[in-house]
C-alpha cells in the first residue's frame, strides 16, 4: 500500500516515467487490485516489450491462481528473451514456469525449466535458494548434469515457440510489399492497401537476407509506441513471404 501511494504521488509529477507506472501497477496487484494492475501492465507492454514485463503480468495471474494465463505470459517472456546473452537475472522466470508446468502436470518440461534455473545460478556461483532446492527434492529432479544454461535455453526454445500463444488470433492477415529499408539495416516500411506500416527485421518469419524492395509479404499488426511522435501506432509483425 505504501509503495502504491508513493508511486501514485510520483506519477503526479512525472506522469510519463515507465518505471513509476510499473511500480504503481505492481503495487496495485499485490494490494488486491489484480484486474486493474493487469490492465495497466498490458498498456505498458505496448511501450516496453521486455521479458520482465511479461513476468510481471504472469505473477499477478499467479496471485489469482490463473495458471493458464500465468503460463502464457511466462512462455512469452522466455521466448522474447531467448537471444539475450546473459540469462542470470531470468532464473526466477524459468523457476516460475517450471513450477507452473509441474502443477499443470507437464512434468517433463517443468523439470527442464527447474534444471535451467539451477544451471543459471550454479554458473554464477550463487547459492541455491530454499524454494529451488525444495522443488528439486520434492520431485527428485536430477541436479547433476553436463548441459549449460545456454544449452538448456537452445533446447527449450522449440518448446517456447510451440507453446507461445498466438496474439493475432481473430485478426485478418494483411498483404503488402516492402516499400523501404532504412539505413540501419534493421527496419523498414511495408506498403499495403490501407497505408504504410513500420516493421523491424526481428519480426520476420524468414531470413533477413531475402529482404528486398518490392517483395510481397503478408503480416499482422500490433500496437507499438512511437517515441518520436510520442503516441501509439501500429507496426507490422509476424511477417511472411
Amino acid at each position: 500500500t505504501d509503495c502504491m501511494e508513493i508511486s501514485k504521488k510520483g506519477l503526479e509529477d512525472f506522469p510519463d516515467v515507465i518505471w513509476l507506472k510499473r511500480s504503481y501497477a505492481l503495487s496495485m496487484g499485490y494490494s488486491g487490485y489484480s484486474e486493474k494492475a493487469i490492465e495497466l501492465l498490458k498498456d505498458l507492454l505496448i511501450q516496453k516489450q521486455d521479458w520482465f514485463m511479461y513476468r510481471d503480468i504472469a505473477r499477478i495471474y499467479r496471485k489469482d491462481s490463473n495458471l493458464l494465463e500465468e503460463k502464457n505470459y511466462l512462455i512469452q517472456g522466455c521466448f522474447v528473451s531467448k537471444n539475450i546473452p546473459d540469462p542470470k537475472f531470468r532464473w526466477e522466470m524459468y523457476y516460475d514456469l517450471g513450477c507452473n508446468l509441474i502443477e499443470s502436470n507437464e512434468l517433463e518440461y517443468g523439470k527442464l525449466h527447474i534444471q535451467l534455473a539451477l544451471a543459471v545460478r550454479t554458473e554464477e556461483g550463487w547459492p541455491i535458494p530454499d524454494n529451488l532446492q525444495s522443488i528439486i527434492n520434492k520431485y527428485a529432479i536430477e541436479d547433476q548434469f553436463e548441459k549449460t544454461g545456454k544449452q538448456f535455453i537452445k533446447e527449450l526454445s522449440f518448446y517456447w515457440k510451440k507453446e507461445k500463444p498466438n496474439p493475432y488470433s481473430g485478426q485478418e492477415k494483411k498483404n503488402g510489399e516492402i516499400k523501404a529499408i532504412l539505413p540501419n539495416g534493421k527496419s523498414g516500411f511495408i506498403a499495403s492497401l490501407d497505408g504504410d506500416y513500420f516493421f523491424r527485421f526481428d519480426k520476420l518469419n524468414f531470413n533477413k537476407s531475402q529482404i528486398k524492395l518490392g517483395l510481397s509479404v503478408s503480416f499482422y499488426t500490433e500496437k507499438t509506441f512511437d517515441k518520436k511522435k510520442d503516441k501509439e501506432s501500429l507496426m507490422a509483425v509476424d511477417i511472411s513471404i
Side-chain angles (χ1 to χ4, degrees):
T1 303
D2 288 345
C3 181
M4 185 166 62
E5 291 303 320
I6 293 170
S7 301
K8 185 178 180 180
K9 185 172 176 56
L11 285 170
E12 292 173 2
D13 296 324
F14 305 99
D16 297 321
V17 177
I18 286 179
W19 305 113
L20 281 174
K21 291 180 181 179
R22 179 179 176 233
S23 294
Y24 180 57
L26 287 173
S27 57
M28 284 193 74
Y30 289 114
S31 298
Y33 304 100
S34 300
E35 188 174 335
K36 183 61 177 177
I38 289 170
E39 179 185 335
L40 292 172
L41 288 169
K42 286 182 178 179
D43 284 344
L44 287 177
L45 194 58
I46 295 171
Q47 300 181 50
K48 196 165 185 63
Q49 297 179 349
D50 286 315
W51 63 268
F52 52 84
M53 300 298 292
Y54 290 99
R55 184 203 60 191
D56 288 345
I57 296 172
R59 286 185 166 176
I60 304 300
Y61 277 122
R62 155 65 67 168
K63 189 174 178 297
D64 282 358
S65 301
N66 189 333
L67 292 182
L68 178 59
E69 288 299 332
E70 181 198 22
K71 174 188 173 182
N72 286 342
Y73 278 90
L74 289 172
I75 288 281
Q76 291 178 85
C78 289
F79 185 80
V80 301
S81 68
K82 63 187 175 69
N83 294 322
I84 299 175
D86 190 353
K88 63 185 178 184
F89 297 116
R90 304 196 297 272
W91 80 268
E92 286 183 296
M93 180 168 64
Y94 305 139
Y95 168 81
D96 287 349
L97 183 53
C99 292
N100 176 288
L101 295 175
I102 288 172
E103 289 179 51
S104 304
N105 293 317
E106 293 188 57
L107 291 177
E108 178 186 355
Y109 284 104
K111 290 180 178 181
L112 284 172
H113 283 86
I114 295 299
Q115 287 180 318
L116 168 55
L118 176 62
V120 169
R121 287 196 66 93
T122 300
E123 287 166 15
E124 292 298 323
W126 295 344
I128 308 306
D130 291 341
N131 59 346
L132 180 54
Q133 189 63 59
S134 176
I135 199 166
I136 289 170
N137 295 341
K138 183 176 181 178
Y139 292 96
I141 298 173
E142 178 60 52
D143 59 0
Q144 299 295 322
F145 41 78
E146 297 295 328
K147 276 187 287 191
T148 65
K150 290 182 179 179
Q151 287 171 327
F152 273 111
I153 290 172
K154 184 177 181 180
E155 178 181 321
L156 286 168
S157 291
F158 297 98
Y159 173 78
W160 298 334
K161 183 177 182 179
K162 177 174 69 73
E163 293 293 317
K164 185 169 68 75
N166 179 8
Y168 318 116
S169 59
Q171 183 185 143
E172 185 177 353
K173 206 163 193 179
K174 298 178 182 293
N175 297 310
E177 62 178 42
I178 303 299
K179 177 181 180 179
I181 299 171
L182 298 182
N184 62 18
K186 296 179 180 179
S187 56
F189 286 91
I190 297 172
S192 73
L193 290 176
D194 59 352
D196 295 348
Y197 292 93
F198 173 78
F199 75 94
R200 296 199 308 263
F201 281 21
D202 62 1
K203 300 298 182 180
L204 300 176
N205 289 332
F206 55 93
N207 195 300
K208 64 182 181 181
S209 64
Q210 296 175 271
I211 278 283
K212 61 181 179 180
L213 297 180
L215 180 69
S216 294
V217 294
S218 60
F219 60 96
Y220 292 106
T221 60
E222 72 177 15
K223 288 182 181 179
T224 187
F225 190 79
D226 190 325
K227 293 181 180 179
K228 289 185 178 179
K229 296 180 180 179
D230 193 32
K231 67 176 184 178
E232 288 185 8
S233 62
L234 290 176
M235 178 176 72
V237 294
D238 198 19
I239 305 162
S240 301
I241 295 176

